[in-house]
Amino acid sequence: MIIPKSNRLTDPQVAELTAIVSEFGCNLQPIIGAVRTIYAILGDERDDLMINRIEGLEYVDRVDRIQSGFKLMDRRSDLASHRVNIGGVTLGEELFIIAGQCTIDPKNSNYFYESAEAVKEAGGHVIRGGVWKPRTNPYSFQGDVKSLDILMEASRRTGLPVDAEVMDEEHLKMALDAGVHMLQIGARNALNYSLLRSIGKAIADTDTVVLLKRSIHMGPIDEFVAAAEYIVSFGNPNVLLCPRGTKPGLDGYRNHPDESITPLLKEKSWAPVVVDPSHSVGRAVYVPACSMAAIAYGADGLCIESHVEPAKGIGDDPKQALTPEALAQTIKQGKALWQLMRG
Ligand code: PEP
Ligand code: MN
């Protein structure tokens, strides 16, 4: 990874570096951070001659040679100073909240608009809403593209950014064309490397944020962080890591709660951690406690399913969604705990 002296290299400087690394069979990839741009060498960067030639350039401060399967996501990377911003909040500066329905009901859009208003009132930063749904049962409702318009209308009405899961390239294109601000990669696709690559390429020059869930079957920490590297390696470092519980589940919970991996993720990576307590425990009554546990473990934020009238929801909402009152209370307590932990 090349760290320049200035915040950004000029085009001729980039051309010179590109020529050098390509002589050694590598490619140069700019990674545009909030403060400065760094330049990843993709390929085998261990050739001393190549490093010496780069370090000899007067506009290069240094070359970091992190030996890691995820050298951009690694906490020793220069990207560690990158801050992810969305919805007027900088991750790490206050408790970050994504909330909203599991699934948008295309036949009852008013529920979604009301749920979205409730998220805003409770102090949420991003509204989530499932347009396309990965369902275990192939005969369950699989989502409806009409919900994409409802999602974007909720964004216009509230002024908040929105998050939706994309499961394939067709969804990705439709979501980006519609202006979805945060793309969610679900637990079932968390290791779909060709989808991760497509998303990385599609958002390379944008400020789109990705919420990457942990893979469903106890995905190891390194594997989780390396999956994020697939996206970031195309140039957009706005990735959030989202533990969401793993299989096999703990008797009584939907999954095995895994907010406790937060400090382990933070030891390995600079990426913000946003825990999803809803899919983890799978019952609304347990979600507040799981949320507090996540904050106690050092999470930067939460992704919570909420619905203005959970019993009228579809998808996971009747079981998992918090009411507006419970959401507001959880956010209030979460913020207090956040302050306590950092004060
Ligand atoms: C969801 O967020 O509604 C969802 C399906 O999540 P996961 O991929 O974690 O199961
Ligand atoms: Mn859900």
Side-chain angles (χ1 to χ4, degrees):
M1 190 155 26
I2 302 166
I3 320 297
K5 285 185 181 151
S6 59
N7 287 344
R8 213 199 150 104
L9 295 180
T10 64
D11 289 346
Q13 289 168 340
V14 170
E16 184 175 30
L17 276 173
T18 304
I20 295 173
V21 302
S22 61
E23 264 183 56
F24 295 87
C26 296
N27 290 316
L28 193 71
Q29 173 63 59
I31 311 285
I32 304 167
V35 185
R36 69 149 131 188
T37 300
I38 59 173
Y39 299 81
I41 304 168
L42 304 181
D44 187 354
E45 59 172 319
R46 283 169 303 181
D47 196 307
D48 283 337
L49 183 56
M50 173 174 77
I51 302 298
N52 288 346
R53 278 181 55 192
I54 295 170
E55 281 184 335
L57 299 169
E58 48 85 25
Y59 50 85
V60 169
D61 180 25
R62 63 182 197 283
V63 181
D64 273 350
R65 279 197 275 180
I66 298 171
Q67 294 305 318
S68 159
F70 38 82
K71 52 192 173 192
L72 298 170
M73 296 303 295
D74 196 294
R75 62 168 300 112
R76 293 166 296 171
S77 153
D78 207 64
L79 273 181
S81 61
H82 176 67
R83 295 285 170 268
V84 180
N85 294 290
I86 184 163
V89 60
T90 300
L91 273 284
E93 287 185 359
E94 62 180 289
L95 178 65
F96 173 67
I97 303 288
I98 305 166
Q101 292 178 197
C102 170
T103 306
I104 299 171
D105 180 351
K107 296 200 185 90
N108 288 294
S109 54
N110 276 341
Y111 283 132
F112 192 70
Y113 299 139
E114 288 172 30
S115 295
E117 292 292 352
V119 169
K120 183 175 181 173
E121 237 167 78
H125 303 104
V126 175
I127 296 164
R128 58 155 290 151
V131 174
W132 304 281
K133 296 305 299 182
R135 304 303 300 277
T136 308
N137 182 339
Y139 304 110
S140 300
F141 177 67
Q142 306 282 316
D144 189 327
V145 68
K146 283 189 214 113
S147 301
L148 190 54
D149 294 335
I150 301 171
L151 182 71
M152 297 319 296
E153 175 61 18
S155 177
R156 280 186 287 276
R157 290 187 186 192
T158 56
L160 292 181
V162 287
D163 158 53
E165 175 171 354
V166 292
M167 293 189 289
D168 57 37
E169 293 194 22
E170 205 184 327
H171 301 161
L172 170 63
K173 182 165 180 352
M174 284 191 272
L176 289 177
D177 288 348
V180 171
H181 312 85
M182 178 182 283
L183 301 174
Q184 183 173 312
I185 303 173
R188 292 158 188 81
N189 263 314
L191 300 177
N192 179 344
Y193 297 123
S194 59
L195 180 64
L196 299 178
R197 260 198 216 99
S198 301
I199 292 178
K201 268 186 218 158
I203 64 167
D205 299 318
T206 71
D207 56 5
T208 308
V209 176
V210 172
L211 182 72
L212 175 65
K213 300 269 189 115
R214 182 184 184 196
S215 66
I216 216 159
H217 291 109
M218 280 195 179
I221 307 281
D222 282 11
E223 180 187 76
F224 188 12
V225 179
E229 180 96 4
Y230 269 88
I231 302 161
V232 171
S233 67
F234 289 95
N236 178 334
N238 297 319
V239 176
L240 311 176
L241 300 175
C242 183
R244 46 78 74 199
T246 59
K247 295 271 184 230
L250 196 59
D251 228 5
Y253 290 152
R254 178 174 177 171
N255 284 296
H256 194 112
D258 62 348
E259 65 284 343
S260 59
I261 69 165
T262 301
L264 305 178
L265 287 169
K266 287 188 165 288
E267 244 166 57
K268 302 252 178 178
S269 176
W270 53 266
V273 177
V274 174
V275 169
D276 172 349
S278 304
H279 292 86
S280 185
V281 294
R283 291 266 308 278
V285 66
Y286 306 128
V287 167
C290 186
S291 302
M292 296 314 127
I295 296 167
Y297 271 113
D300 300 281
L302 300 168
C303 175
I304 301 177
E305 289 188 342
S306 65
H307 192 293
V308 72
E309 249 185 277
K312 300 279 176 58
I314 59 174
D316 294 330
D317 287 325
K319 283 178 303 182
Q320 278 175 203
L322 295 189
T323 60
E325 298 72 35
L327 178 68
Q329 175 76 353
T330 302
I331 294 177
K332 189 170 155 219
Q333 289 180 346
K335 283 188 169 169
L337 181 59
W338 168 276
Q339 283 307 334
L340 192 70
M341 300 280 303
R342 283 160 180 78

